[in-house]
Amino acid sequence: MNDKAICKMFEKEMFLYIDKDLPDDKISFWKEHLANCNSCRSLLNDTEIIVGSVKENYFEDLLDVKYETMIEKVVQSKRSNFLEWFFPSGSVREKYAFSFKLAVVGVLAVIAVIISLSTNQPNTVKTISRDLLDWDGEKITTQINELKNKMNLIQDSNWDKQIDVLDQRMKNLEKESDKFSFN
Amino acid sequence: MNTAQEQIMIQKCRNGETRAFGPLIGNYRKQLYSYLLRLCGNKEEAEDLFQETLIKTWMGIKKYSEQQKFSSWLFTIAHNSAMDKLRKRDKEKMITEIEPDDLRDIKDPHKELVSKEIGTKIWNAVEQLSFKQKEVFLLRVNGNMSFKEIAKTTNEPLNTVLSHMHYSIKKIKGFLGNQNER
């Protein structure tokens, strides 16, 4: 690899070198290269000067009073976990995350019901829904009325009297049979 | 405030000690506000986003994991809030339509010490960057994030992030060179 290619590679890896986010042998290699290469050394120096100057010059700032008011508001704004779960503070994404999840669950549930109904395989959803769809109010009312009539018939019948009549008949038959035996 | 002190403050916040929150954020106040203002270019929105970031930080402090730098976590929250807001509007429109009144304090060198003149020029140069370049540059410089963290936060491949940073520096350098020639 010629010098130019090495310098080009340093350009690429310079920031990782600054962060020491490279393997030790690579860092040693660049250290050695920097000791001998004016161009790369000057690139590194310029970069550090620019970054350093920016860091030293934050002109914009909040007024102390404003900052303190903000902090005061923030630390007093702690809400219960319950409220936070339902109505999260912060970004729009977070705020609507719960509603979104709920909507997704709802849509999935509807899809599941549709699939269950449309499939040929028997399943609970289908059975329940068929029962609901097949429910015939009139048929059930007729059955109830029939039962009621039967109950009334049972109540109206004079069973005791019938039994008495049968009993009397039996006695008469016995008497007659006795007569025949004496003869 | 060093890392150990910061961790103590975080623990206090977790325990509900409201007084610890101000100093904890105060450490990054300028960088955070500057980042939001530079990214959205509007003072009012930057303040809203700043407050939104504070609320989310305070609410989520119990979920914060020490494996991540607190500043990176804070800037990721700010970045996501800003992106949500930016997505609502036309990104390009937002970047180009920087309200002059909002940045007057930044760009007016008379208000600043002469020693800060170079900083003013650099910030003016930052304004010339494309949205993606500015996003990466500000997360690096203001948020002090590693490039791997930036890649994760912005959902961009590491090489793309490195390339954005490389071109940002090149552009800023070029802009400053032109300024000096004038």
Side-chain angles (χ1 to χ4, degrees):
Chain A
M1 202 184 281
N2 61 29
D3 283 354
K4 229 178 177 182
I6 293 175
C7 294
K8 199 84 191 154
M9 214 169 127
F10 179 72
E11 249 182 54
K12 266 189 172 180
E13 290 191 352
M14 181 177 66
F15 297 108
L16 296 177
Y17 172 78
I18 294 171
D19 275 0
K20 294 197 167 46
D21 240 339
L22 289 170
D24 289 345
D25 54 341
K26 207 72 182 279
I27 290 176
S28 309
F29 173 80
W30 289 129
K31 263 186 191 165
E32 209 182 310
H33 174 74
L34 284 166
N36 301 313
C37 178
N38 283 337
S39 148
C40 288
R41 210 170 40 242
S42 122
L43 177 71
L44 182 67
N45 284 343
D46 288 351
T47 303
E48 282 175 339
I49 287 169
I50 288 172
V51 172
S53 301
V54 174
K55 279 185 177 176
E56 282 168 16
N57 293 288
Y58 297 114
F59 299 148
E60 54 281 274
D61 194 8
L62 290 164
L63 293 172
D64 284 344
V65 183
K66 203 165 224 174
Y67 176 70
E68 277 154 23
T69 314
M70 277 185 183
I71 292 284
E72 196 61 32
K73 269 187 191 171
V74 168
V75 293
Q76 283 174 358
S77 67
K78 197 143 198 170
R79 300 186 295 172
S80 73
N81 287 339
F82 180 78
L83 277 175
E84 187 58 28
W85 195 72
F86 277 103
F87 309 104
S89 57
S91 72
V92 177
R93 200 191 306 165
E94 283 174 11
K95 271 178 185 162
Y96 294 109
F98 176 72
S99 315
F100 179 73
K101 281 177 206 164
L102 206 66
V104 169
V105 170
V107 169
L108 288 176
V110 170
I111 291 170
V113 169
I114 291 169
I115 291 170
S116 304
L117 288 173
S118 58
T119 181
N120 288 327
Q121 297 294 319
N123 57 61
T124 320
V125 176
K126 217 165 157 181
T127 313
I128 292 170
S129 55
R130 191 185 294 135
D131 285 351
L132 285 170
L133 290 169
D134 290 346
W135 185 72
D136 189 345
E138 256 179 64
K139 208 164 140 185
I140 291 172
T141 312
T142 314
Q143 282 175 358
I144 290 171
N145 287 338
E146 271 175 26
L147 275 171
K148 269 185 185 170
N149 287 338
K150 281 176 186 167
M151 292 292 286
N152 286 337
L153 273 173
I154 292 168
Q155 278 171 356
D156 287 344
S157 305
N158 196 343
W159 292 104
D160 288 342
K161 206 176 171 182
Q162 294 280 344
I163 289 166
D164 282 345
V165 169
L166 282 170
D167 200 33
Q168 195 57 48
R169 276 187 188 172
M170 285 290 284
K171 278 177 184 168
N172 288 340
L173 279 168
E174 275 171 4
K175 271 181 191 171
E176 276 177 24
S177 62
D178 283 347
K179 267 183 199 174
F180 284 120
S181 64
F182 281 118
N183 288 333
Chain B
M1 195 187 286
N2 60 34
T3 317
Q5 287 169 325
E6 192 172 81
Q7 289 305 320
I8 292 169
M9 286 295 181
I10 291 167
Q11 200 46 51
K12 281 183 177 179
C13 289
R14 281 180 175 150
N15 296 337
E17 278 186 47
T18 53
R19 275 179 300 174
F21 193 58
L24 176 66
I25 300 295
N27 233 6
Y28 305 101
R29 172 177 145 181
K30 274 189 174 186
Q31 293 96 313
L32 188 65
Y33 178 68
S34 162
Y35 167 74
L36 292 169
L37 181 60
R38 294 283 163 190
L39 204 65
C40 70
N42 177 306
K43 214 170 186 173
E44 258 178 43
E45 273 186 339
E47 283 176 11
D48 283 352
L49 285 169
F50 188 86
Q51 179 136 21
E52 194 177 316
T53 307
L54 295 190
I55 292 171
K56 284 181 183 174
T57 308
W58 176 248
M59 297 284 194
I61 196 98
K62 283 184 182 170
K63 290 181 211 159
Y64 163 70
S65 154
E66 279 83 4
Q67 286 170 340
Q68 196 180 7
K69 268 192 294 177
F70 180 74
S71 61
S72 301
W73 184 66
L74 181 69
F75 273 80
T76 303
I77 292 173
H79 176 78
N80 291 339
S81 304
M83 287 303 118
D84 277 343
K85 200 149 214 168
L86 288 169
R87 264 184 223 113
K88 280 185 185 171
R89 304 183 343 190
D90 179 3
K91 278 184 191 174
E92 291 308 316
K93 196 178 165 191
M94 184 151 197
I95 298 152
T96 51
E97 282 185 5
I98 292 170
E99 291 171 25
D101 280 354
D102 292 343
L103 295 177
R104 192 177 47 210
D105 292 344
I106 307 159
K107 288 179 175 176
D108 187 357
H110 302 297
K111 281 193 173 182
E112 303 299 331
L113 297 169
V114 181
S115 61
K116 285 184 177 176
E117 212 170 293
I118 179 81
T120 314
K121 281 182 183 172
I122 288 174
W123 277 119
N124 288 342
V126 172
E127 292 305 321
Q128 313 303 313
L129 302 178
S130 76
F131 181 78
K132 283 283 170 193
Q133 289 167 348
K134 199 192 274 187
E135 187 185 22
V136 170
F137 183 83
L138 292 175
L139 281 174
R140 171 65 181 185
V141 177
N142 289 37
N144 212 15
M145 287 168 95
S146 76
F147 289 99
K148 282 186 179 167
E149 284 172 326
I150 296 172
K152 208 174 157 191
T153 303
T154 57
N155 280 327
E156 297 270 9
L158 180 61
N159 279 339
T160 312
V161 168
L162 292 173
S163 164
H164 283 318
M165 189 65 183
H166 174 69
Y167 285 108
S168 301
I169 297 287
K170 216 172 171 180
K171 237 178 184 176
I172 292 170
K173 231 170 121 180
F175 183 84
L176 293 176
N178 291 341
Q179 290 273 299
N180 290 338
E181 281 168 21
R182 278 178 202 172

